């Protein structure tokens, strides 16, 4: 267990150093002068936006759990969301978030496969939101001259979503075929018949869980999407608020598109929170609108609210809900 803690400590330390390096270099001494001038009221507004986004996600969790025939208390669901956000921010590519989500739902008596189905539907709904929102944002950019060729962002987003939606549909409709394919893929590994049967049973339970949620009344599914949209609109508006109160001007639709790209950067980075890659991408994409000092200040404030705050607020909740075994969820590759 100590090994897991040491590994996590060093990974987070490296991530924080990499994350701080870019804004400090860009902002220089002016960063240290301008940062204390930020009014407490603005900080309170940003914190409130983060907390409200978490509340929206807690409602999503409760609706999905209801689809499985389970009930989760409001305070517990909020804690589960915060712990999951911490795990995603503290692990490479956010892998710990999914494991934490499933582990917490197991505590409430929900099967592992059903919990995984809830997680898949939750992220499928995120994909639906972005497919709706991205074309709107990019069309706004094209009409207002935000940048000359927004089509590449739309193409990448739709391609990724299309792949994910296709796999999701395949799992629902062709589960028997997938089970046979899994069996062939795993055959060279000489898994026992018992393990193969367990895997097939898990896939069947996953599919059953997805169908249970999709059988919710339409008004509940619509409410689920509304909470999803509310969360992402709040989260992606944080940067616009920061840019506004430091006296700069960047089109909101451009900021929305930029954060979508940076989210992809974070998912493929080997450091927790996409540290380093996110900051470099931010600096490159905002440079047409902002000078170096403003980029440094806005980047630092944005990462404080969407990364460092997730770590600081989430750690005690994460440990309180999962205990000592929590550390293994953040480094699943360790044995």
């Amino acid at each position: 267990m100590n090994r897991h803690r040491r590994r996590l400590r060093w990974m987070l330390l490296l991530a924080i150093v990499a994350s701080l390096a870019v804004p400090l270099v860009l902002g220089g001494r002016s960063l240290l002068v301008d940062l204390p001038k930020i009014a407490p009221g603005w900080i309170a507004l940003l914190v409130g936006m983060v907390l409200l986004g978490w509340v929206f996600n807690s409602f999503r969790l409760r609706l999905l759990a209801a689809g499985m025939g389970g009930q989760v208390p409001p305070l517990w669901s909020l804690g589960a969301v915060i712990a999951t956000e911490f795990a995603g921010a503290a692990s490479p590519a956010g892998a710990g978030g999914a494991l934490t989500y499933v582990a917490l739902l197991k505590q409430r008596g929900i099967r592992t496969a059903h919990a995984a189905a809830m997680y898949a539907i939750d992220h499928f709904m995120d994909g639906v939101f972005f497919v709706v929102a991205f074309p709107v944002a990019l069309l706004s950019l094209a009409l207002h001259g935000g940048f000359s060729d927004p089509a590449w962002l739309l193409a990448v987003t739709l391609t990724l979503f299309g792949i994910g939606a296709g796999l999701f549909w395949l799992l629902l409709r062709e589960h028997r075929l997938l089970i046979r394919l899994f069996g062939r893929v795993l055959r060279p590994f000489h898994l026992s018949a018992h393990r193969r049967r367990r895997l097939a049973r898990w896939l069947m339970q996953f599919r059953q869980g997805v169908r249970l949620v999709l059988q919710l009344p339409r008004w509940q599914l619509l409410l689920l999407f509304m909470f999803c949209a509310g969360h992402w609109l709040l989260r992606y508006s944080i940067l616009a608020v920061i840019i506004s109160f430091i006296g700069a001007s960047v089109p909101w639709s451009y900021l929305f598109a930029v954060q979508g790209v940076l989210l992809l950067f974070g998912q493929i980075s080997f450091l927790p929170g996409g540290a380093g890659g996110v900051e470099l991408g931010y600096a490159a994409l905002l440079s047409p609108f902002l000078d170096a000092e403003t980029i440094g200040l806005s980047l630092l404030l944005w990462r404080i609210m969407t990364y460092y705050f997730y770590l600081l607020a989430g750690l005690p909740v994460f440990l309180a809900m999962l205990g000592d075994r929590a550390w293994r969820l953040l480094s699943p590759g360790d044995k």
Side-chain angles (χ1 to χ4, degrees):
M1 192 61 65
N2 289 333
R3 178 165 59 88
H4 291 281
R5 294 183 183 183
R6 286 196 301 269
R7 183 176 183 272
L8 174 62
R9 188 186 303 121
W10 281 109
M11 285 185 66
L12 286 177
L13 179 61
L14 180 59
I16 291 172
V17 170
S19 181
L20 286 172
V22 176
L24 290 176
V25 169
L26 291 172
R29 293 183 179 180
S30 64
L31 188 67
L32 302 178
V33 175
D34 295 335
L35 193 59
K37 295 180 181 179
I38 302 299
W42 285 110
I43 301 300
L45 173 62
L46 295 173
V47 171
M49 293 173 70
V50 173
L51 294 178
L52 184 57
W54 286 347
V55 170
F56 285 165
N57 277 345
S58 73
F59 283 124
R60 293 169 67 183
L61 177 59
R62 294 177 66 193
L63 282 171
L64 288 169
M68 299 295 176
Q71 298 291 329
V72 295
L75 189 60
W76 184 92
S77 65
L78 179 60
V81 166
I82 295 174
T84 300
E85 292 281 15
F86 166 80
S91 57
L99 297 174
T100 300
Y101 187 97
V102 172
L104 287 168
L105 288 170
K106 284 183 64 178
Q107 292 180 354
R108 307 301 304 184
I110 296 176
R111 292 179 176 180
T112 300
H114 286 185
M118 289 172 58
Y119 188 83
I121 289 176
D122 203 35
H123 281 63
F124 184 81
M125 195 70 71
D126 291 339
V128 172
F129 168 75
F130 280 109
V131 162
V132 173
F134 255 66
V136 174
L138 296 173
L139 180 61
S140 174
L141 280 174
L143 293 176
H144 294 87
F147 53 79
S148 58
D149 185 16
W152 67 274
L153 269 177
L154 177 60
V156 170
T157 303
L158 292 178
T159 299
L160 292 175
F161 178 79
I163 293 172
L167 292 174
F168 194 77
W169 178 87
L170 183 63
L171 182 60
L172 288 179
R173 301 295 181 184
E174 304 293 340
H175 63 283
R176 292 184 179 86
L177 175 61
L178 282 181
I179 290 173
R180 290 196 297 270
L181 290 176
F182 268 112
R184 293 179 182 177
V185 170
L186 295 175
R187 190 173 300 164
F189 297 95
H190 303 293
L191 294 180
S192 66
H194 174 68
R195 288 183 180 275
R196 291 197 298 271
R197 284 194 297 270
R198 285 187 61 185
L199 177 61
R201 186 164 58 248
W202 189 91
L203 287 170
M204 293 293 291
Q205 290 173 356
F206 179 95
R207 180 175 178 272
Q208 179 191 12
V210 171
R211 291 204 162 191
L212 285 173
V213 172
L214 294 181
Q215 288 172 2
L216 285 170
R218 290 184 179 180
W219 70 268
Q220 290 190 16
L221 292 174
L222 178 61
L223 193 59
L224 185 65
F225 182 77
M226 290 176 64
F227 285 131
C228 169
H231 160 253
W232 284 111
L233 288 173
L234 278 169
R235 180 167 176 174
Y236 274 30
S237 294
I238 288 174
L239 180 55
V241 172
I242 291 172
I243 295 292
S244 176
F245 72 61
I246 63 177
S249 178
V250 180
W252 185 90
S253 52
Y254 183 77
L255 294 176
F256 185 92
V258 163
Q259 290 176 90
V261 174
L262 295 179
L263 179 64
L264 293 178
F265 285 175
Q267 293 298 312
I268 62 177
S269 173
F270 72 95
L271 284 178
V278 168
E279 284 75 16
L280 291 173
Y282 181 99
L285 292 170
L286 269 295
S287 59
F289 294 92
L290 306 174
D291 57 41
E293 291 77 10
T294 305
I295 289 176
L297 178 60
S298 62
L299 173 56
L300 181 59
L301 289 171
W302 178 62
R303 288 298 262 174
I304 286 174
M305 299 313 307
T306 60
Y307 183 49
Y308 306 139
F309 183 70
Y310 281 48
L311 295 175
L312 291 174
L315 178 58
V317 178
F318 179 75
L319 294 177
M321 298 191 74
L322 289 163
D324 288 339
R325 66 193 184 93
W327 302 105
R328 292 185 178 273
L329 297 173
L330 302 181
S331 51
D334 293 345
K335 302 296 183 184

